[in-house]
Coordinates of all heavy atoms in Angstrom, one line a residue:
Chain S
S147 N 22.5 -50.7 -36.5 CA 21.7 -51.7 -35.7 C 20.3 -51.5 -35.6 O 19.5 -52.3 -35.1 CB 22.4 -51.7 -34.2 OG 21.9 -50.6 -33.6
L148 N 19.8 -50.3 -36.1 CA 18.3 -50.0 -36.1 C 17.7 -50.9 -37.2 O 16.4 -51.0 -37.1 CB 18.1 -48.6 -36.3 CG 18.5 -47.6 -35.3 CD1 18.1 -46.2 -35.6 CD2 17.9 -47.9 -33.9
I149 N 18.3 -51.4 -38.1 CA 17.9 -52.2 -39.2 C 17.1 -51.4 -40.2 O 17.3 -51.4 -41.4 CB 17.0 -53.4 -38.8 CG1 17.8 -54.3 -37.8 CG2 16.6 -54.3 -40.0 CD1 17.0 -55.4 -37.1
G150 N 16.1 -50.6 -39.8 CA 15.4 -49.7 -40.7 C 14.7 -48.7 -39.8 O 14.6 -48.8 -38.5
G151 N 14.1 -47.7 -40.4 CA 13.3 -46.7 -39.7 C 14.2 -45.7 -39.0 O 15.4 -45.6 -39.2
V152 N 13.5 -44.8 -38.2 CA 14.3 -43.7 -37.6 C 13.9 -43.6 -36.1 O 12.8 -44.0 -35.7 CB 14.0 -42.3 -38.2 CG1 14.6 -42.2 -39.5 CG2 12.5 -42.1 -38.3
V153 N 14.8 -43.0 -35.4 CA 14.5 -42.8 -33.9 C 14.7 -41.2 -33.8 O 15.8 -40.7 -34.2 CB 15.4 -43.5 -32.9 CG1 15.1 -43.0 -31.5 CG2 15.3 -45.0 -33.0
I161 N 10.4 -40.4 -30.3 CA 9.6 -41.2 -31.3 C 10.4 -42.3 -31.8 O 11.4 -42.1 -32.6 CB 9.0 -40.2 -32.4 CG1 8.3 -39.1 -31.7 CG2 8.1 -41.0 -33.4 CD1 7.9 -37.9 -32.7
D162 N 10.1 -43.4 -31.4 CA 10.9 -44.6 -31.8 C 10.2 -45.4 -33.0 O 9.3 -46.1 -32.7 CB 11.2 -45.5 -30.6 CG 12.3 -46.5 -30.9 OD1 12.6 -46.8 -32.1 OD2 12.8 -47.1 -29.9
A163 N 10.6 -45.2 -34.2 CA 10.0 -45.8 -35.3 C 11.0 -46.7 -36.0 O 11.0 -46.9 -37.2 CB 9.4 -44.8 -36.3
S164 N 11.9 -47.4 -35.2 CA 12.9 -48.2 -35.8 C 12.4 -49.6 -35.9 O 11.6 -50.1 -35.1 CB 14.2 -48.1 -34.9 OG 14.0 -48.7 -33.7
M165 N 13.0 -50.3 -36.8 CA 12.6 -51.7 -37.0 C 13.1 -52.5 -35.8 O 12.4 -53.4 -35.3 CB 13.4 -52.2 -38.3 CG 13.0 -53.6 -38.7 SD 11.2 -53.6 -39.0 CE 11.1 -53.3 -40.7
K166 N 14.2 -52.1 -35.3 CA 14.8 -52.9 -34.1 C 13.8 -52.8 -32.9 O 13.5 -53.9 -32.3 CB 16.1 -52.1 -33.6 CG 16.8 -52.7 -32.5 CD 18.0 -51.9 -32.2 CE 18.7 -52.2 -30.9 NZ 19.7 -51.2 -30.6
S167 N 13.3 -51.7 -32.5 CA 12.4 -51.7 -31.4 C 11.0 -52.4 -31.7 O 10.4 -53.0 -30.8 CB 12.1 -50.3 -30.9 OG 11.2 -49.6 -31.8
Q168 N 10.5 -52.3 -32.9 CA 9.3 -53.0 -33.3 C 9.5 -54.5 -33.2 O 8.6 -55.2 -32.8 CB 8.9 -52.6 -34.6 CG 8.3 -51.1 -34.6 CD 7.5 -50.8 -35.8 OE1 6.9 -51.6 -36.3 NE2 7.4 -49.5 -36.2
L169 N 10.7 -55.0 -33.7 CA 10.9 -56.4 -33.6 C 11.0 -56.9 -32.1 O 10.5 -57.9 -31.7 CB 12.2 -56.8 -34.3 CG 12.2 -56.8 -35.8 CD1 13.5 -57.1 -36.4 CD2 11.2 -58.0 -36.2
A170 N 11.6 -56.0 -31.3 CA 11.8 -56.4 -29.9 C 10.4 -56.4 -29.2 O 10.1 -57.4 -28.4 CB 12.6 -55.3 -29.2
S171 N 9.4 -55.5 -29.6 CA 8.1 -55.6 -28.9 C 7.3 -56.8 -29.5 O 6.4 -57.3 -28.8 CB 7.4 -54.2 -29.1 OG 7.3 -53.8 -30.4
L172 N 7.6 -57.0 -30.8 CA 6.9 -58.3 -31.4 C 7.3 -59.5 -30.6 O 6.5 -60.3 -30.3 CB 7.1 -58.3 -32.8 CG 6.5 -59.5 -33.5 CD1 5.0 -59.5 -33.5 CD2 7.1 -59.6 -35.0
A173 N 8.6 -59.6 -30.3 CA 9.2 -60.7 -29.7 C 8.5 -60.9 -28.2 O 8.2 -61.9 -27.8 CB 10.7 -60.6 -29.5
L174 N 8.4 -59.7 -27.6 CA 7.8 -59.7 -26.3 C 6.3 -60.2 -26.3 O 5.9 -61.0 -25.5 CB 7.8 -58.3 -25.7 CG 9.0 -57.9 -24.7 CD1 8.8 -56.5 -24.2 CD2 9.0 -58.9 -23.6
A175 N 5.6 -59.7 -27.3 CA 4.2 -60.0 -27.4 C 4.0 -61.5 -27.7 O 3.1 -62.1 -27.2 CB 3.5 -59.1 -28.6
L176 N 4.8 -62.1 -28.6 CA 4.8 -63.5 -28.9 C 5.2 -64.4 -27.7 O 4.8 -65.5 -27.6 CB 5.6 -63.8 -30.1 CG 5.0 -63.3 -31.5 CD1 6.0 -63.7 -32.5 CD2 3.7 -63.9 -31.7
Chain B
I16 N 0.8 -62.3 -35.2 CA 1.7 -61.3 -35.9 C 0.8 -60.4 -36.7 O 1.2 -59.2 -36.8 CB 2.6 -62.2 -36.9 CG1 3.6 -62.9 -36.0 CG2 3.4 -61.2 -37.8 CD1 4.6 -63.8 -36.8
F19 N -0.7 -57.7 -34.6 CA 0.3 -57.0 -33.7 C 0.2 -55.5 -34.0 O 0.4 -55.0 -35.1 CB 1.8 -57.5 -34.0 CG 2.8 -56.7 -33.3 CD1 2.8 -56.9 -31.9 CD2 3.8 -56.0 -33.9 CE1 3.9 -56.2 -31.1 CE2 4.7 -55.3 -33.2 CZ 4.7 -55.4 -31.8
D20 N 0.0 -54.8 -32.9 CA 0.0 -53.3 -33.1 C 1.3 -52.6 -33.2 O 2.0 -52.7 -32.2 CB -0.9 -52.8 -31.9 CG -1.0 -51.2 -31.9 OD1 -0.9 -50.7 -33.0 OD2 -1.3 -50.7 -30.9
S21 N 1.6 -52.1 -34.3 CA 2.9 -51.6 -34.5 C 3.0 -50.1 -34.6 O 3.9 -49.6 -35.2 CB 3.6 -52.3 -35.7 OG 2.9 -52.1 -36.8
S22 N 1.9 -49.5 -34.2 CA 1.8 -48.1 -34.3 C 2.9 -47.3 -33.4 O 3.3 -47.8 -32.4 CB 0.5 -47.5 -33.9 OG 0.2 -47.9 -32.6
V23 N 3.4 -46.2 -34.0 CA 4.4 -45.6 -33.3 C 3.9 -44.3 -32.6 O 3.1 -43.5 -33.2 CB 5.6 -45.2 -34.3 CG1 6.6 -44.4 -33.6 CG2 6.1 -46.4 -35.0
E24 N 4.2 -44.1 -31.3 CA 3.7 -42.9 -30.7 C 4.9 -42.1 -30.1 O 5.9 -42.7 -29.8 CB 2.9 -43.3 -29.5 CG 1.4 -43.7 -29.9 CD 0.7 -44.4 -28.7 OE1 1.0 -44.0 -27.7 OE2 -0.1 -45.1 -29.0
K89 N 10.3 -45.3 -20.0 CA 9.4 -44.6 -20.9 C 8.0 -44.5 -20.1 O 7.6 -45.4 -19.5 CB 9.1 -45.4 -22.1 CG 10.3 -45.3 -23.1 CD 9.8 -46.0 -24.4 CE 11.1 -46.3 -25.2 NZ 10.8 -47.5 -26.1

Side-chain angles (χ1 to χ4, degrees):
Chain S
S147 75
L148 294 181
I149 306 173
V152 289
V153 176
I161 302 171
D162 191 344
S164 71
M165 192 54 98
K166 183 183 168 190
S167 74
Q168 290 199 25
L169 280 175
S171 57
L172 178 64
L174 264 183
L176 288 178
Chain B
I16 293 177
F19 178 67
D20 178 22
S21 59
S22 58
V23 179
E24 280 168 30
K89 284 182 201 157

